[in-house]
Amino acid sequence: MRVEDGHAHARTSYKLLSTRDYFLLLISVVECKYKIHKSLSVHLPFEIQHDQVINTAKGIRFINFGELLRKMFRIKLYWENAPWLNYGTWDLKYGNTNWDNVPKNIDLCLDTGHLMLGAKNKNDFLIKLNWVMKNYDEQIKHLHLHDNNFKSDQHIQVPGEVISKKLFKKLIKNRSYIIEKGE
């Protein structure tokens, strides 16, 4: 499990959900609790992020399992927008996250680099960011902050060319965050 500034990233298979993912989540939660990490970010299931592989019921079952573990172990657990990426090139496999199926009753981790993927330019990204903030602002408790070239998940440091100092300060207000370095 990768940990940055005390915030842990849950283990994930980077595939459609299987029994293995429940096991990986359980291990991640236990490790987060007993190593006293500040929080645990878990990728939203692909089954709720992409119309091409939609299985909302399956995705919600996994989220409910994670929420149960969060309560049982009393940890901060955040669900991260993490669209399916092609291995090696780290570009979008099925487009960016479709937010229509993201539950309105869970705490979220907004990954700015992931949200940037597929945007045409900075302005296009800012329109998308404003929409997400308008619709999910209260749910967004944690941030993974980084820039990219809109095509691949590069983990370019922020503040940078896309996320300015002013935007950075606005985003982090009343939220925990990491400046994500990547794996």
Side-chain angles (χ1 to χ4, degrees):
M1 182 162 58
R2 187 165 46 107
V3 180
E4 293 182 80
D5 298 327
H7 297 277
H9 299 258
R11 291 173 177 83
T12 184
S13 65
Y14 301 101
K15 297 177 183 172
L16 293 176
L17 290 170
S18 71
T19 305
R20 181 175 188 259
D21 294 289
Y22 286 81
F23 181 69
L24 291 173
L25 181 53
L26 176 60
I27 290 170
S28 297
V29 167
V30 169
E31 186 174 333
C32 180
K33 175 68 176 183
Y34 292 104
K35 290 195 174 180
I36 314 172
H37 297 311
K38 295 175 186 174
S39 70
L40 179 68
S41 294
V42 183
H43 290 177
L44 285 164
F46 294 144
E47 288 86 347
I48 68 166
Q49 293 189 81
H50 299 294
D51 293 337
Q52 296 86 339
V53 294
I54 195 80
N55 189 335
T56 307
K58 189 175 187 178
I60 296 299
R61 274 193 304 276
F62 183 70
I63 290 170
N64 288 342
F65 177 70
E67 289 297 297
L68 177 65
L69 292 175
R70 177 187 62 77
K71 290 175 188 171
M72 287 174 55
F73 286 87
R74 288 182 259 153
I75 65 165
K76 291 182 180 179
L77 186 147
Y78 307 121
W79 295 94
E80 178 183 351
N81 60 307
W84 203 334
L85 303 179
N86 291 306
Y87 184 80
T89 56
W90 310 117
D91 58 341
L92 294 169
K93 182 171 184 159
Y94 292 125
N96 212 309
T97 299
N98 176 352
W99 290 83
D100 294 342
N101 297 314
V102 174
K104 292 286 198 173
N105 62 342
I106 58 174
D107 291 339
L108 297 174
C109 167
L110 177 63
D111 187 303
T112 58
H114 292 166
L115 190 65
M116 259 176 226
L117 294 171
K120 294 176 185 127
N121 53 41
K122 180 179 177 177
N123 190 54
D124 191 34
F125 161 71
L126 292 174
I127 290 168
K128 190 186 310 184
L129 176 64
N130 285 333
W131 183 89
V132 170
M133 296 305 293
K134 179 182 173 194
N135 289 281
Y136 293 90
D137 184 56
E138 293 298 317
Q139 286 180 259
I140 299 169
K141 308 292 187 198
H142 184 66
L143 300 161
H144 288 177
L145 296 164
H146 56 104
D147 276 1
N148 64 46
N149 64 356
F150 308 113
K151 296 176 186 151
S152 62
D153 199 25
Q154 298 176 311
H155 295 94
I156 298 169
Q157 293 291 346
V158 294
E161 290 188 30
V162 181
I163 297 180
S164 65
K165 285 183 183 180
K166 182 178 177 182
L167 179 56
F168 178 86
K169 288 180 181 179
K170 180 181 173 185
L171 289 171
I172 66 171
K173 188 175 181 179
N174 299 318
R175 294 186 176 96
S176 61
Y177 69 92
I178 61 170
I179 298 174
E180 195 171 28
K181 297 168 186 68
E183 296 183 38

